[in-house]
Every structure is written in structure tokens, then in C-alpha cells.
Amino acid sequence: MSFYIYGILTLPAPENLNLQGLDGQPVQIKILNGFAVIYSEAQQERYLASRRNLLSHEKVLEEIMQAGDRNLLPVQFGLLVSSWETVSQQLIRPHQEELTQLLAKLSGCREVSVKVFWDTDVEIQGLLAEHPDLKTERDKLMGQPLSMEQAIQIGQAIEQGMNDRKQGIIDVFQGTLNSIAIDVVENTPQMDTMIYNSAYLIPWEAESQFSEYVEALDRKFEERLRIRYNNFTAPYNFARLQLFSSN
């Protein structure tokens, strides 16, 4: 038998869990070296990162946190262990101090995320409208032959202008939201139209205020941006711990 690990809690552990994990298996708690390990019995030798499996993993963690156990350290999807001695020897004991510090940092907090998208073509048109001289030079690209050097200069000027517009938006989001957060992780945008992708660790009770600020930003940039706000997820971005390999 092997065990699928979802995350780690501080004691006291929750009782009478009524949750289903991967493969419909009941979610259980194992007390180990002063921590509570969330697990279910694995029914497969390896779990593919399918949408269904990923959602099942996330659901277990989110439901535990929603139920009141907010001091939770999530484990990355796909971790299988063959014995509790393996967990003790390779995870708990060598990382006990780091685990304690991470769980203390996450205590009473939730992770929220903000992703910001724009329409590149619309922004280019806005840039050219604000800089008529740049528009005139750009129009020459289609009106008459230009040297390679001229074409490069115009392209670089447009690129710099777009970068400045993007940074201006990012500065507003950072100035509005970062002060509420205990910690912030800025992730790489996942597509060309995404210009900002950030996770925030905030006090649990501060979410309503944070949400109001996001809504205010949405109104401010209503004609230009699309904002995707996730108001609750397990705090993966703030739980950086090098775990042992699945076995």
C-alpha cells in the first residue's frame, strides 16, 4: 500500500473528516513527529496531472481550510509515499524547523491571485494616438521603403512605449494591492495578452478589503483591461519547500 499526500497541518488535527480525495478515497490524517499529514490511500502507482485529478487535490485542501484549519502547508500534486517512515525520515525530521516556520507564516492567512490582461492591438493604437510623431513614423513603414536601421528604430520606439504603458499599469496595481499583503509573489505571465500575474498572501479577514480594491481597479481600467481575481486558494506560492521525490 502507498499513500497520496495532500498537505501538512499543525496540531491539533481536524477530526471526523468527511472528504473524498483522489479515486474517491476517504481523506485521513496521520500524526507524525508533531505534525498532521493529510492523505488518502493511493489506488494508482502514479497520478497523471489531469484536470480531474488536479481539481480533486485542490478541493481537499480548500475544503479543509474553509472548514477552519487555516494553518495548512500544501504539498505539490503527485506526491506518493510507500511508508510513513519515509515521510518521517525524508521530510519531517530534516525539515522540521523550516516546516514550523512556514506554517507559522501561513497561520491565519489565505492566498489570492490577480491576473491582468490587455488587448495588444488596442494598446498600440492608444500609444500611437498619444504620440502622433511615432504614428507618423510608423505609417511610413507602409507608405515608402525604409532602411533597416529606420525600421528597427521605429520598432524599438513602439516596443519601449508599450513597455512603459505596461509598467504604468503594473505600478498602479502594486501601489494599490501590495500594502494589504503580508507577502507577494510575482509570477511570469502565461500568455502574450497577460501583463501581470501575482499572488498575494493576505490575512484571512482582509479579503473583503482586498476584493474592494480589485473592484476599484477594475472600474479604473474598465475600458482597457480584463482582471481575473481568485479570492481563495491553498498557499502554494508561499510554501516553498524542497520535498523528496515520489516513490
Side-chain angles (χ1 to χ4, degrees):
M1 180 185 296
S2 58
F3 308 104
Y4 182 92
I5 308 298
Y6 299 92
I8 299 172
L9 294 163
T10 53
L11 299 178
E15 298 180 357
N16 303 318
L17 287 178
N18 185 25
L19 300 176
Q20 286 190 342
L22 272 69
D23 296 319
Q25 293 298 300
V27 175
Q28 304 179 62
I29 297 291
K30 175 70 174 180
I31 307 301
L32 202 63
N33 302 111
F35 297 94
V37 181
I38 309 163
Y39 77 98
S40 60
E41 293 183 2
Q43 305 299 300
Q44 303 178 41
E45 293 183 359
R46 178 172 176 267
Y47 283 91
L48 296 177
S50 65
R51 176 176 173 77
R52 180 179 179 180
N53 285 343
L54 289 169
L55 288 175
S56 294
H57 180 100
E58 289 284 342
K59 185 179 180 181
V60 168
L61 298 174
E62 290 177 8
E63 288 191 1
I64 287 176
M65 293 182 74
Q66 291 281 21
D69 288 283
R70 299 170 181 174
N71 198 2
L72 183 151
L73 184 67
V75 170
Q76 186 176 0
F77 173 84
L79 181 61
L80 290 169
V81 296
S82 57
S83 71
W84 292 118
E85 186 61 25
T86 300
V87 180
S88 179
Q89 290 184 352
Q90 297 189 35
L91 171 59
I92 303 295
R93 290 176 185 170
H95 296 290
Q96 191 152 5
E97 183 176 351
E98 188 177 358
L99 285 167
T100 301
Q101 291 174 351
L102 277 173
L103 284 161
K105 176 183 177 180
L106 300 175
S107 178
C109 296
R110 64 200 291 167
E111 178 177 325
V112 298
S113 66
V114 173
K115 295 178 172 61
V116 181
F117 302 81
W118 72 2
D119 186 316
T120 306
D121 292 337
V122 170
E123 289 297 322
I124 290 177
Q125 294 305 314
L127 172 67
L128 296 177
E130 292 174 6
H131 298 84
D133 54 335
L134 185 58
K135 182 178 186 301
T136 299
E137 293 298 318
R138 196 288 303 265
D139 290 346
K140 291 179 182 179
L141 285 171
M142 298 179 287
Q144 63 185 44
L146 293 176
S147 68
M148 180 65 72
E149 182 179 354
Q150 288 174 310
I152 290 173
Q153 287 177 346
I154 295 171
Q156 288 177 336
I158 291 175
E159 181 180 6
Q160 183 59 53
M162 290 291 282
N163 285 337
D164 290 344
R165 289 172 75 84
K166 181 186 300 184
Q167 190 58 51
I169 292 170
I170 292 172
D171 289 346
V172 172
F173 273 77
Q174 291 173 332
T176 303
L177 301 177
N178 285 18
S179 62
I180 307 175
I182 296 168
D183 198 1
V184 181
V185 172
E186 294 185 5
N187 295 307
T188 302
Q190 299 164 336
M191 57 189 71
D192 291 340
T193 56
M194 184 187 294
I195 62 170
Y196 191 57
N197 179 14
S198 191
Y200 303 83
L201 186 69
I202 64 173
W204 194 273
E205 64 279 3
E207 194 282 324
S208 59
Q209 180 188 10
F210 194 92
S211 178
E212 289 175 1
Y213 283 12
V214 172
E215 290 174 3
L217 288 167
D218 191 36
R219 291 191 295 271
K220 178 181 180 67
F221 292 101
E222 184 177 12
E223 301 300 323
R224 294 178 62 188
L225 304 178
R226 181 167 57 90
I227 301 172
R228 185 183 299 165
Y229 174 51
N230 184 347
N231 69 353
F232 174 63
T233 184
Y236 285 102
N237 282 282
F238 306 96
R240 305 294 188 183
L241 181 69
Q242 185 62 47
L243 298 173
F244 55 85
S245 302
S246 304
N247 58 81

